[in-house]
Amino acid sequence: MRNLLRADAAKRAERVSAGAGPKASTPYANNYRVYAPSCLHYPMPGLPAANDPTPVYSSRVLLAQYPPNSLGQYGTEYVTLRVWRIPCSSSGQFYDSATVIALDRDANMEGNTARYPLFPGARITQGNSAPRLLVRVTDEPNTFVSTIFADEPLYYSGTFVLENFPTTSSDTARWDFNNQFTLTLLNFFAGDNGLSLTIPAYNPTEATFPDAFRGLPISGYLTGNWFDEAHSGEGMLVQTFEIPDNKLLFTFAWFTYDSNGVPFWLFGSTAVDRGTRGRISVPTIFNSGGGFAGNFGASAQTNTWGTVEFTFNNCYEMKFRYNSTHNTNGVPRGTGEKVWTRTVDTNGLTCE
């Protein structure tokens, strides 16, 4: 059994390294998913900070240890299991989360490839389901079928997310990790009953899960056209791009009007850390000295306008505050706050 599983893991590694396999022509929603793809991103998040009130459930777990040079004589190694949830929805409107687990080797064993633990078998018991059904464990959020298989090498500590298998097999179930469940990890030794850890239902409060009551994380899932339905003809194009150093570039273009009712364009951009929530302040500019269809010099003049601060209460509601700091005649100016909406998703992908 172990040899078959290890061979399967080796083949999987070869496929990944070779970049083999068909690629989808366009992203699409996975109907088996547990959480919305706007909730998590790659790389996986680390443990909550020491001052973070997020509940973390932990235990020491004994795993099988494979020593390559001892003729297949398996040993054991203790690692630390931690389980916690990441809020997926914002402003306290929904109770949806992603369940993340970490398996941490002890410091003196971290990165040891001569002796290393094997990834455990993972099973879930929940509600009226049969006990200990299979659960999908993956280190690549938002993928469709990627799975960390039992008996894969665990050279380094890692963070993983619990997901559904895209199947109707009776060996698994479509889990709702917002409800209470029991996670069991098995090392497949004779007589092993596994380590079981019961995780209570996800019931966020501002004290335990403050992010559940804040705005959405800034991500590409917020890309689109935003406007005030009561005042058609004005709007914003919001876009988010990936840039180096694991950051995102948030950009917007505000298609509005000057004091004479002539169309006017304000725009801005700022780099943010992945996972940034809440209000972000974006320096805002406008150009002058241009002409239609490139009928001007090498570049138009860039002028400072002020700032616009953004908060996304949910995927379809954007609150922004604006404050102009210039006094150029004819250029729109003012201070205020607006709530605008959008009515579409991007590529049919789910933002939540």
Side-chain angles (χ1 to χ4, degrees):
M1 176 67 173
R2 287 192 178 278
N3 289 337
L4 289 174
L5 289 169
R6 292 184 61 77
D8 188 36
K11 290 178 181 178
R12 175 176 175 271
E14 290 176 1
R15 292 196 300 270
V16 171
S17 63
K23 295 182 178 180
S25 58
T26 185
Y28 62 95
N30 169 15
N31 291 329
Y32 289 86
R33 66 183 179 272
V34 173
Y35 54 90
S38 57
C39 182
L40 287 180
H41 55 77
Y42 186 85
M44 292 287 293
L47 280 165
N51 60 348
D52 190 320
T54 298
V56 178
Y57 311 95
S58 63
S59 179
R60 295 284 280 175
V61 57
L62 188 66
L63 300 185
Q65 185 192 68
Y66 181 73
N69 300 320
S70 63
L71 302 178
Q73 297 299 313
Y74 289 91
T76 58
E77 180 177 328
Y78 274 101
V79 302
T80 300
L81 166 69
R82 295 182 176 91
V83 184
W84 69 99
R85 291 186 174 102
I86 295 176
C88 291
S89 48
S90 65
S91 303
Q93 298 182 62
F94 309 101
Y95 293 126
D96 295 316
S97 65
T99 301
V100 178
I101 71 172
L103 288 172
D104 294 325
R105 299 186 73 182
D106 292 346
N108 64 314
M109 297 299 292
E110 183 74 4
N112 187 332
T113 58
R115 303 183 69 90
Y116 52 85
L118 302 178
F119 203 90
R123 304 289 188 271
I124 291 289
T125 303
Q126 184 177 59
N128 296 324
S129 68
R132 297 188 176 184
L133 293 180
L134 292 169
V135 61
R136 186 160 70 96
V137 183
T138 178
D139 61 351
E140 298 180 57
N142 303 326
T143 56
F144 188 61
V145 294
S146 66
T147 302
I148 305 298
F149 293 102
D151 275 8
E152 287 197 30
L154 186 66
Y155 299 134
Y156 295 92
S157 303
T159 305
F160 313 90
V161 63
L162 300 184
E163 255 287 9
N164 286 327
F165 281 103
T167 176
T168 57
S169 170
S170 60
D171 292 331
T172 184
R174 297 184 71 161
W175 307 109
D176 183 351
F177 294 107
N178 295 308
N179 296 327
Q180 178 176 301
F181 66 92
T182 298
L183 172 67
T184 301
L185 300 183
L186 300 156
N187 62 27
F188 301 115
F189 283 152
D192 170 47
N193 292 318
L195 181 281
S196 294
L197 189 64
T198 297
I199 310 301
Y202 174 64
N203 186 23
T205 67
E206 290 191 75
T208 56
F209 290 94
D211 281 349
F213 297 84
R214 300 172 60 197
L216 284 178
I218 301 302
S219 75
Y221 290 98
L222 301 173
T223 292
N225 295 314
W226 298 78
F227 65 103
D228 179 357
E229 296 183 21
H231 299 91
S232 178
E234 181 186 26
M236 284 191 193
L237 172 62
V238 170
Q239 295 179 294
T240 304
F241 304 95
E242 294 183 347
I243 57 176
D245 298 325
N246 198 32
K247 290 182 177 292
L248 298 173
L249 181 67
F250 177 88
T251 71
F252 80 95
W254 185 353
F255 303 101
T256 186
Y257 301 89
D258 65 14
S259 57
N260 296 315
V262 176
F264 197 93
W265 182 14
L266 298 169
F267 54 97
S269 64
T270 190
V272 298
D273 294 327
R274 288 181 182 270
T276 296
R277 297 174 181 258
R279 184 171 291 111
I280 60 169
S281 180
V282 185
T284 304
I285 61 175
F286 67 92
N287 283 342
S288 60
F292 177 67
N295 185 24
F296 58 98
S299 62
Q301 180 180 349
T302 299
N303 309 274
T304 298
W305 182 83
T307 57
V308 180
E309 299 178 340
F310 293 87
T311 301
F312 294 87
N313 292 332
N314 56 62
C315 293
Y316 306 100
E317 182 179 284
M318 175 180 74
K319 180 183 293 185
F320 65 96
R321 296 177 179 176
Y322 56 92
N323 179 38
S324 58
T325 57
H326 72 95
N327 56 5
T328 305
N329 290 333
V331 175
R333 70 181 74 177
T335 300
E337 181 176 282
K338 298 288 184 181
V339 177
W340 284 3
T341 62
R342 70 171 183 173
T343 58
V344 297
D345 287 326
T346 303
N347 264 0
L349 296 177
T350 301
C351 176
E352 183 178 287

